[in-house]
Amino acid sequence: MYGYILRRLLLMIPTLIGILLINFAIVQFAPGGPVEQIMAQVQGTAEFSTSRFSGVAADEVAGESRGGRGLDPTYVAELEAQFGFDRPAHERFLKMLGDYARLDFGESFYRDQTVLELIADKLPVSVSLGLWTLLFTYLISIPLGIRKAVRDGSAFDVWTSAVVIVGYAIPGFLFAILLIVLFAGGSYLDWFPLRGLVSDNWESLTWPMRILDYLWHLVLPVLAMVIGGFAGLTMLTKNSFLEEINKQYVVTARAKGVSERRVLYGHVFRNAMLIVIAGFPAAFVGVLFTGALLIEVIFSLDGLGLLGFQSVVNRDYPVVFGSLFIFTLVGLVLNLLGDLMYVLVDPRIDFETREG
């Protein structure tokens, strides 16, 4: 097992480099980079302030704009040097890899913060949404999926399947809008807040009140994400248990007089849960880094999903590539942990023997 873990850790290095290389190559063909945006602003065709760019004098920009002439090549060269585009693409890529090896992810083009500071600022929001969403999704989906498998074809299975289909068909952000209309002062009740994870007076509250205030703000966004995400896991659990329940070892155990509960949780559960465990790392990464994007926008939650989206739109390349590297690394580590959980749930699985 230790050899398998070591090989997986070593395999992460070329995987990370390959993902960064592909995305770096794609970015080279994407129009509207930071230099082009400043040039467009100088010429009066973009709508963002030059004060967001360090090293670019406002009076110089204004003078160029008033002159109505083409931009001075020297000025353009200074812009390219400021953003690091004065070097060939391969040199920039190799420099980026060297910086990342030292855990230096650079500084945002548009914010006076490093990439790590930005991620650290946004991480609590996404972690809150992700962990609470996964907790409630698994607490609901796994028992419900098991119950549906045991009572397959019954009235309970039919009406819960209708609920699952609705949850699967309607995106989480539509549920979020519905919840706002119903419970956040939209058209009916005004029970829950609409913005942020805490109230403006959170610092002045006692600790018990702070916890309640935090949970109060989480209710609607987490509920929207759980409703939009529990359907797939429920059906995955049901189908996995149905497949195991119909196997010969279950029939044999029942024939020997083993109780139904012992058959289900002593024999079926361990095998049926393997596929559910295998999907946990991907579910965690998806919820934590990408799945909450629209929810964060709707509820004005400044998390990692919104940060990544804004960085791509604004061509904030240090944040784009730095967050991509970190998120990919986290995903690879979680996938490795998923394999180790396989062994924990079912010791019969031996990756060393399988690879040999």
Side-chain angles (χ1 to χ4, degrees):
M1 177 57 67
Y2 293 109
Y4 172 77
I5 295 174
L6 179 60
R7 286 193 295 273
R8 285 290 299 272
L9 292 174
L10 293 176
L11 186 60
M12 291 180 186
I13 298 175
T15 302
L16 285 168
I17 294 176
I19 291 174
L20 286 174
L21 178 60
I22 292 173
N23 285 274
F24 186 85
I26 293 174
V27 163
Q28 304 312 304
F29 299 99
V35 174
E36 288 79 5
Q37 289 184 11
I38 288 190
M39 292 170 61
Q41 192 278 335
V42 170
Q43 295 170 335
T45 58
E47 297 181 355
F48 54 86
S49 172
T50 56
S51 62
R52 301 162 77 181
F53 301 92
S54 61
V56 179
D59 54 351
E60 179 183 357
V61 171
E64 292 284 353
S65 180
R66 287 194 301 267
R69 303 186 302 268
L71 294 180
D72 186 354
T74 303
Y75 173 65
V76 175
E78 291 176 355
L79 285 178
E80 293 178 345
Q82 176 185 339
F83 291 105
F85 295 115
D86 56 333
R87 300 180 179 182
H90 69 279
E91 289 187 12
R92 286 185 278 122
F93 181 73
L94 293 176
K95 181 180 182 301
M96 181 177 68
L97 292 182
D99 292 340
Y100 286 5
R102 301 190 303 272
L103 300 181
D104 179 8
F105 299 99
E107 186 173 332
S108 169
F109 286 160
Y110 303 96
R111 313 173 193 225
D112 190 20
Q113 288 180 287
T114 66
V115 174
L116 288 179
E117 289 173 344
L118 280 172
I119 293 177
D121 287 344
K122 314 300 181 185
L123 189 60
V125 174
S126 294
V127 168
S128 294
L129 288 178
L131 291 181
W132 285 110
T133 299
L134 283 179
L135 174 63
F136 285 110
T137 298
Y138 273 75
L139 287 178
I140 294 172
S141 299
I142 292 178
L144 179 60
I146 295 174
R147 186 71 171 173
K148 286 173 64 63
V150 172
R151 303 184 60 181
D152 184 43
S154 66
F156 173 83
D157 182 42
V158 172
W159 73 261
T160 53
S161 293
V163 175
V164 169
I165 290 173
V166 172
Y168 190 81
I170 302 178
F173 73 89
L174 289 182
F175 279 116
I177 295 173
L178 176 63
L179 291 174
I180 289 174
V181 172
L182 294 178
F183 302 111
S187 301
Y188 298 93
L189 304 174
D190 191 9
W191 289 353
F192 297 98
L194 184 58
R195 300 176 60 88
L197 280 184
V198 293
S199 300
D200 294 336
N201 65 334
W202 189 80
E203 294 290 343
S204 63
L205 299 176
T206 62
W207 274 109
M209 293 303 298
R210 288 184 181 184
I211 295 174
L212 291 176
D213 181 76
Y214 164 74
L215 295 175
W216 182 46
H217 282 76
L218 273 178
V219 170
L220 293 188
V222 169
L223 181 59
M225 294 181 68
V226 169
I227 292 176
F230 86 101
L233 183 58
T234 299
M235 296 309 298
L236 177 66
T237 304
K238 176 190 174 181
N239 294 334
S240 179
F241 272 80
L242 275 179
E243 182 180 355
E244 293 296 324
I245 287 174
N246 294 324
K247 288 185 176 179
Q248 184 62 42
Y249 74 90
V250 176
V251 177
T252 303
R254 286 171 174 167
K256 290 181 177 180
V258 180
S259 67
E260 193 66 26
R261 183 178 183 85
R262 182 174 177 81
V263 169
L264 182 62
Y265 293 102
H267 296 77
V268 174
F269 186 84
R270 183 177 63 181
N271 296 326
M273 285 299 293
L274 287 177
I275 190 171
V276 177
I277 291 173
F280 176 81
F284 182 80
V285 173
V287 170
L288 188 60
F289 298 135
T290 59
L293 170 58
L294 291 176
I295 301 298
E296 290 179 6
V297 173
I298 292 172
F299 289 99
S300 300
L301 302 174
D302 194 9
L304 292 176
L306 186 58
L307 172 66
F309 174 75
Q310 291 175 340
S311 300
V312 171
V313 171
N314 294 330
R315 305 295 193 271
D316 196 350
Y317 295 143
V319 178
V320 171
F321 289 113
S323 58
L324 174 66
F325 179 89
I326 295 172
F327 299 165
T328 302
L329 180 60
V330 171
L332 292 172
V333 171
L334 288 177
N335 279 321
L336 175 58
L337 292 178
D339 286 348
L340 298 180
M341 289 175 68
Y342 266 128
V343 179
L344 180 63
V345 174
D346 190 350
R348 296 172 300 173
I349 296 177
D350 187 350
F351 290 105
E352 292 283 359
T353 303
R354 187 184 67 177
E355 288 195 348

